[in-house]
Amino acid sequence: MVTCRTMRVIVVVLAAVVGVVYGAHCHGQPNPNAPQNLLPVNTGEPELVATHANGKLFRAGTSEGSFYVLHLWGTPYECGVAQGTLLKDEVKAFVNGVYAYIEDQIDLALNSTKPGHYVPHWLLNDIAEFGIDAALDLEIAATRPWTPAYFLEEIKGLADATGLSYLAIERVHLLGELTKGGCSLLSAYDSAITSEYSLLGVRALDWNTDAVFVDHAQVTVYHPSGDWGKQGPGHAFANVGFSGFIGSFNGVSAANTYSQEIGVTFPDETFGKESRFGIPFTYLLRDLIQFDETIEQAETRVRDAKRTCDLILGFGHLGDSDGEPFRAIQYSASVANFFNSTTLMPLTSWHPRMEDLVYYEGDWLCEQGDVVMHRQLAYAHGELSPELVIKNITSVVATGDTFTSVYGFRHDGQHALYQAFARSSSESGPDPAYLRQFTKLDLADLWAEAKPTL
Ligand SMILES: *[C@@H]1O[C@H](CO)[C@@H](O)[C@H](O)[C@H]1NC(C)=O
Ligand SMILES: *[C@@H]1O[C@H](CO)[C@@H](O)[C@H](O)[C@H]1NC(C)=O
Ligand SMILES: *[C@@H]1O[C@H](CO)[C@@H](O)[C@H](O)[C@H]1NC(C)=O
């Protein structure tokens, strides 16, 4: 397994030896002289690869960085069948590969002196007693009552089209609950950004760059219709992740909303306790991006959810009527707190507030990361654009090795997603996404893609 900052992991383990890690900080300082990303953004159109009655598969990018763009139309079950049909081999390889990855993480945990760092203690106890499959199924049972039916219907469609077992697919969707990525997020508006833009969002995932993930890089664009339950189908949205994974790590929608997420390994006492009972956060993030059209709706959803683990989430909405267009969310089983740039927490010398800008690097208590992020943002404040974020922020802060998404909302309405993934097994060039070529996807084009008339 390749993690973004090995030092950080070592210190996590040491900190865990003394038990509670409140007050402990993440470590593994980004190299302050890390290179900029000077590759021009690719603006080439994605190329059509295959079609299905409810799906269109495109390949975006160049040899310096490419990924699938998969459009899906219809009900949850239809979306599942379309993805499972167009990407049968990829979905099978991903699901089997992630299962092996979870097994490895458990092995690693059982071999280590502090197993709880790798996977939650409750899972290890269940594994010792019942074995891995039954332990994962107990975890499913702990989240099922809070899992909306449309996720299960989509998984059923994936299973029917690929021949994978339903349970095998559902098990790997616990991934987010079982392992945690370090990550960073940034949102900037008004005085912080260049004049053509009204809102910028960035979500960088620092996690795992094994082939199982980087070889299945995908942006999935849903055009939901038909029966999605009592909320209706919601709006079109683009979900950044992997072939076969239907939860969300971050995404952007036709309602001009976007989402972000950071795993928290170093909380302070304000987080309270974690819980295994509740909605898997990757499902909650997808609900935010599919259904909510204002910050108030997103706040209500998060506040009312049965939440599980410690996270920082972000939700942005262009032109929101309720003050600033973005909230950072301190998220745990016990609390849901919402911050704008003037109330951002934690408030410390190394995580100072900035005007019209919200940022976190690495974790909640992550002095080393925040110092470098803040320094780069201070240089760029007032001039921030997607290009400058790619050139001088994510690259120099060295964040987003698995993938990095930049959302740019412009005054002229030409909104775009700038996306890069880590180097896949068949590509050349640098490994981490933040040093690779980004591809710009025009959001209006994504939402307007026509359903096949097969
Ligand atoms: C765990 O330990 C066993 C036995 O020593 C070894 O075979 C295995 O490779 C180790 N697994 C990991 C992930 O370190
Ligand atoms: C920021 O949040 C605080 C607390 O919710 C609120 O009082 C304030 O008006 C918000 N500021 C802006 C500019 O939206
Ligand atoms: C880019 O970052 C460097 C330091 O890494 C800094 O000197 C420079 O001012 C930054 N440029 C902008 C436009 O932010």
Side-chain angles (χ1 to χ4, degrees):
M1 183 181 105
V2 185
T3 52
C4 46
R5 288 176 206 134
T6 311
M7 260 310 286
R8 185 176 292 177
V9 172
I10 292 166
V11 174
V12 172
V13 174
L14 291 177
V17 171
V18 295
V20 184
V21 292
Y22 293 151
H25 286 239
C26 76
H27 284 64
Q29 183 168 19
N31 171 3
N33 303 310
Q36 296 178 321
N37 182 339
L38 299 173
L39 292 168
V41 170
N42 166 48
T43 55
E45 299 277 315
E47 281 179 23
L48 186 64
V49 179
T51 42
H52 172 269
N54 291 301
K56 273 187 185 171
L57 181 64
F58 293 83
R59 192 82 193 163
T62 66
S63 59
E64 290 299 311
S66 70
F67 52 91
Y68 284 124
V69 176
L70 174 67
H71 287 264
L72 301 171
W73 284 266
T75 63
Y77 183 77
E78 287 168 340
C79 287
V81 169
Q83 169 152 221
T85 307
L86 286 166
L87 288 163
K88 186 171 184 172
D89 293 342
E90 286 80 357
V91 171
K92 283 163 84 168
F94 177 77
V95 169
N96 293 328
V98 171
Y99 184 82
Y101 169 77
I102 293 174
E103 279 185 318
D104 273 0
Q105 292 297 102
I106 289 166
D107 247 18
L108 208 61
L110 295 174
N111 284 5
S112 94
T113 51
K114 268 293 144 186
H117 167 62
Y118 295 97
V119 291
H121 284 294
W122 58 66
L123 184 70
L124 292 171
N125 294 340
D126 289 347
I127 289 166
E129 201 161 340
F130 308 112
I132 171 167
D133 282 346
L136 289 175
D137 295 346
L138 283 171
E139 188 70 18
I140 287 175
T143 56
R144 260 283 179 81
W146 295 278
T147 299
Y150 38 85
F151 287 106
L152 305 177
E153 288 163 25
E154 190 173 341
I155 288 174
K156 177 85 166 61
L158 274 174
D160 288 353
T162 56
L164 285 165
S165 85
Y166 176 88
L167 207 51
I169 303 174
E170 197 179 1
R171 283 179 189 143
V172 305
H173 279 82
L174 297 173
L175 185 63
E177 301 295 298
L178 302 183
T179 67
K180 249 178 210 174
C183 307
S184 51
L185 67 77
L186 155 66
S187 278
Y189 23 95
D190 301 340
S191 70
I193 64 181
T194 189
S195 61
E196 304 97 288
Y197 284 86
S198 37
L199 177 59
L200 291 182
V202 182
R203 193 298 174 107
L205 175 64
D206 290 299
W207 189 37
N208 181 282
T209 54
D210 289 356
V212 58
F213 297 107
V214 301
D215 287 353
H216 300 107
Q218 179 167 306
V219 173
T220 311
V221 187
Y222 287 81
H223 305 264
S225 64
D227 185 6
W228 284 75
K230 64 180 188 324
Q231 298 174 97
H235 42 248
F237 63 101
N239 193 24
V240 180
F242 312 102
S243 306
F245 192 80
I246 68 166
S248 183
F249 299 105
N250 57 267
V252 57
S253 87
N256 292 332
T257 63
Y258 64 87
S259 60
Q260 305 164 320
E261 174 264 324
I262 303 189
V264 171
T265 306
F266 294 95
D268 58 24
E269 66 289 344
T270 61
F271 275 79
K273 280 209 296 245
E274 296 193 280
S275 166
R276 71 185 298 187
F277 298 99
I279 180 171
F281 79 81
T282 66
Y283 292 164
L284 180 109
L285 271 165
R286 211 184 106 168
D287 283 349
L288 288 175
I289 206 66
Q290 178 169 0
F291 299 110
D292 294 335
E293 306 208 329
T294 63
I295 287 177
E296 192 187 353
Q297 287 172 5
E299 287 192 2
T300 302
R301 183 183 300 279
V302 170
R303 199 177 282 121
D304 293 350
K306 176 90 170 126
R307 299 173 304 273
T308 56
C309 49
D310 294 347
L311 302 167
I312 305 166
L313 302 187
F315 187 84
H317 176 223
L318 178 68
D320 201 90
S321 58
D322 191 19
E324 292 191 4
F326 179 79
R327 294 295 181 280
I329 307 167
Q330 181 188 16
Y331 181 106
S332 75
S334 324
V335 300
N337 293 318
F338 304 89
F339 308 122
N340 60 29
S341 69
T342 68
T343 57
L344 193 66
M345 297 297 283
L347 180 58
T348 66
S349 59
W350 43 265
H351 188 241
R353 293 174 183 156
M354 300 179 81
E355 191 178 355
D356 297 332
L357 195 154
V358 168
Y359 67 100
Y360 291 95
E361 207 294 312
D363 213 297
W364 182 259
L365 296 179
C366 198
E367 172 168 357
Q368 313 258 24
D370 280 333
V371 162
V372 181
M373 176 83 124
H374 176 265
R375 185 195 70 189
Q376 290 309 103
L377 289 172
Y379 288 132
H381 196 276
E383 288 174 67
L384 280 165
S385 65
E387 288 77 10
L388 187 56
V389 166
I390 291 165
K391 177 182 162 200
N392 224 29
I393 308 289
T394 45
S395 54
V396 177
V397 179
T399 185
D401 56 3
T402 313
F403 63 68
T404 303
S405 307
V406 181
Y407 316 111
F409 294 93
R410 292 172 58 103
H411 294 300
D412 66 8
Q414 310 234 331
H415 311 322
L417 167 63
Y418 297 72
Q419 184 62 45
F421 287 91
R423 183 174 67 81
S424 74
S425 316
S426 60
E427 291 174 343
S428 58
D431 287 339
Y434 56 80
L435 289 180
R436 298 186 65 76
Q437 184 172 40
F438 281 67
T439 286
K440 178 181 178 186
L441 298 173
D442 186 294
L443 292 182
D445 289 352
L446 292 185
W447 316 140
E449 188 65 44
K451 187 181 173 192
T453 48
L454 295 182

